[in-house]
C-alpha cells in the first residue's frame, strides 16, 4: 500500500509544490493544471549517486547556451520516486563551478524529452512506487523553466523538504495507528492458554506502550501543523525546519516499533500474506 500511494501521490506532495510556489506564473499555471487533472505526472529529482542525501554535493550539471535561451543538462539522478512514470522532473542541478557548494545549485523543471531516459530500480520496497534511475544527456531546457533564481536551488529544496517531511510524519503516524488498531482487535479475538490475548498483562503492556508513543507523536504533529497553517511561508521555512526533521525521526521510529510489537501480538499470523494478519 505505501508503494502504491507513493507512485500516485509523491508527485503531488513533493514534486508539484516547488513549481506552484517558485515557477513563473505561466509555467506554474500550465504544469499545475496538467498534473492536478491527471493528464501528466511529476516527480522530484534531487539525489544523485555521487551525493545521495548530501544535497550540497549534487553533480548533475546545467550550462547556459551561448544565446542564453536554454540550459543544457547532463548527469544522472538515482532513487527518484515516481520517476518511471513521470512526464516532468523537478531537478536540482549545478549551474555554478565545481566546488561552488550550495551557492552553485539551481532548480529546473525538466520535461521528459529527447536525451532524458529513466530505468526502474528494483527494490525490496514496491515496484508501484516507480523508483527510477534518471539519465540526462544534453537535455535542452528553456530558461523559463528555472524555478526561483539561479543559485537558489538549495534554499528552495530545503523549503520543500519541510512539507515533504511533514507528509512522512502524517503517513508514519497513521500507519503506526493502524498497527495498533489491528493488534488491539486481534487481541480481543485470539485465545491462548484458556483466555483472550487482551487478558494477558504482557499483551496489555505492549498495547499501552504502542498507543503512548503514537499519541505523543500525534500531539507533536498537530503542533507543527498548526504552526504551518498560521505562520507565513518565510517564517515556517526557518522556524520549523529543525522540529519537522526531528518529528520525522520520531514518527518513523514509532512506526517501526508498532509494526514490530503488532507482529509479536499476531504471532505467526503476521508472517503470511493472507488471513487475519494480512
Amino acid at each position: 500500500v505505501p508503494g502504491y500511494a507513493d507512485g500516485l501521490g509523491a508527485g503531488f506532495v513533493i514534486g508539484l509544490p516547488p513549481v506552484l510556489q517558485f515557477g513563473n506564473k505561466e509555467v506554474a499555471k500550465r504544469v499545475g493544471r496538467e498534473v492536478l487533472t491527471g493528464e501528466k505526472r511529476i516527480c522530484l529529482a534531487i539525489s544523485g549517486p555521487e551525493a545521495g542525501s548530501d544535497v550540497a554535493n549534487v553533480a548533475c550539471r546545467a550550462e547556459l547556451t551561448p544565446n542564453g535561451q536554454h540550459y543544457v543538462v547532463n548527469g544522472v539522478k538515482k532513487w527518484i520516486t515516481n520517476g518511471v512514470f513521470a512526464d516532468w522532473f523537478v531537478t536540482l542541478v549545478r549551474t555554478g563551478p565545481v566546488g561552488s557548494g550550495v551557492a552553485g545549485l539551481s532548480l529546473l523543471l525538466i520535461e521528459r524529452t529527447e536525451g532524458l531516459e529513466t530505468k526502474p530500480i528494483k527494490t525490496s520496497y514496491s515496484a508501484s512506487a516507480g523508483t527510477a534511475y534518471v539519465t540526462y544527456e544534453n537535455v535542452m531546457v528553456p530558461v523559463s523553466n528555472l524555478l526561483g533564481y539561479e543559485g537558489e536551488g538549495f534554499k528552495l529544496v530545503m523549503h520543500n523538504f519541510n512539507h515533504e517531511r511533514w507528509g512522512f510524519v502524517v503517513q508514519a503516524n497513521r500507519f503506526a495507528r493502524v498497527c495498533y488498531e489491528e493488534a488491539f482487535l486481534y487481541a480481543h479475538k485470539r485465545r491462548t492458554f484458556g483466555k483472550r490475548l487482551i487478558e494477558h498483562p504482557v499483551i496489555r503492556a505492549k498495547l499501552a506502550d504502542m498507543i503512548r508513543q503514537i499519541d505523543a507523536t500525534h500531539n507533536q504533529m498537530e503542533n507543527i501543523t498548526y504552526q504551518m497553517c498560521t505562520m507565513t511561508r518565510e517564517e515556517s521555512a526557518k522556524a520549523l525546519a529543525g522540529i519537522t526533521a526531528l518529528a520525522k525521526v520520531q514518527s518513523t521510529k514509532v512506526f517501526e516499533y508498532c509494526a514490530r510489537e503488532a507482529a509479536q501480538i499476531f504471532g505467526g499470523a503476521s508472517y503470511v500474506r493472507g488471513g487475519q494478519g494480512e
Side-chain angles (χ1 to χ4, degrees):
V1 172
Y4 178 70
D6 283 345
L8 285 176
F12 294 116
V13 178
I14 65 175
L16 187 58
V19 179
L20 299 180
Q21 293 178 31
F22 308 118
N24 69 57
K25 289 184 178 180
E26 189 279 325
V27 170
K29 183 177 181 179
R30 175 168 53 86
V31 176
R33 181 182 290 112
E34 289 176 345
V35 173
L36 292 174
T37 58
E39 181 183 343
K40 291 188 177 181
R41 303 177 75 170
I42 193 169
C43 70
L44 183 69
I46 303 298
S47 299
E50 74 290 329
S53 58
D54 184 6
V55 177
N57 283 314
V58 161
C60 185
R61 184 147 196 86
E63 296 182 349
L64 274 174
T65 56
N67 63 11
Q69 297 300 305
H70 291 82
Y71 286 99
V72 183
V73 180
N74 286 280
V76 295
K77 295 292 181 179
K78 195 174 183 181
W79 313 119
I80 306 307
T81 303
N82 199 39
V84 170
F85 319 118
D87 303 286
W88 292 101
F89 297 75
V90 175
T91 306
L92 187 66
V93 295
R94 184 161 298 283
T95 49
V98 175
S100 55
V102 298
L105 296 174
S106 302
L107 203 58
L108 289 179
L109 173 64
I110 303 177
E111 188 170 13
R112 185 185 286 269
T113 186
E114 184 179 357
L116 193 158
E117 294 185 359
T118 58
K119 296 179 181 178
I121 297 176
K122 294 182 179 180
T123 69
S124 60
Y125 176 41
S126 171
S128 59
T131 308
Y133 186 87
V134 187
T135 304
Y136 306 81
E137 187 172 345
N138 293 324
V139 178
M140 302 291 286
V141 183
V143 292
S144 58
N145 283 23
L146 176 68
L147 303 180
Y149 296 96
E150 194 169 293
E152 275 194 334
F154 186 83
K155 182 178 75 173
L156 303 188
V157 168
M158 292 301 108
H159 181 100
N160 196 52
F161 275 177
N162 275 3
H163 193 266
E164 179 180 349
R165 287 170 175 147
W166 173 85
F168 289 142
V169 173
V170 175
Q171 276 187 297
N173 190 250
R174 180 58 196 152
F175 282 133
R177 198 174 290 277
V178 168
C179 291
Y180 170 82
E181 291 169 350
E182 295 298 325
F184 180 84
L185 293 173
Y186 184 76
H188 280 76
K189 294 191 299 182
R190 172 70 169 162
R191 299 184 69 86
T192 61
F193 306 103
K195 61 176 71 174
R196 295 178 303 163
L197 284 182
I198 196 67
E199 296 176 67
H200 294 288
V202 68
I203 300 299
R204 293 200 300 274
K206 286 181 181 295
L207 290 167
D209 259 350
M210 290 165 73
I211 199 62
R212 171 181 60 82
Q213 295 185 56
I214 290 168
D215 277 356
T217 306
H218 194 99
N219 178 264
Q220 185 182 40
M221 179 185 75
E222 292 281 3
N223 284 334
I224 294 171
T225 304
Y226 175 79
Q227 292 176 79
M228 285 176 66
C229 293
T230 53
M231 288 179 173
T232 65
R233 287 177 182 171
E234 291 72 22
E235 289 173 333
S236 65
K238 295 179 181 179
L240 300 183
I243 190 63
T244 307
L246 291 174
K248 179 188 173 187
V249 176
Q250 167 70 9
S251 63
T252 51
K253 281 182 174 289
V254 170
F255 179 20
E256 188 277 334
Y257 175 84
C258 289
R260 177 159 38 88
E261 289 298 274
Q264 292 296 318
I265 293 171
F266 270 90
S270 70
Y271 188 66
V272 295
R273 288 182 178 272
Q276 296 182 87
E278 181 179 8

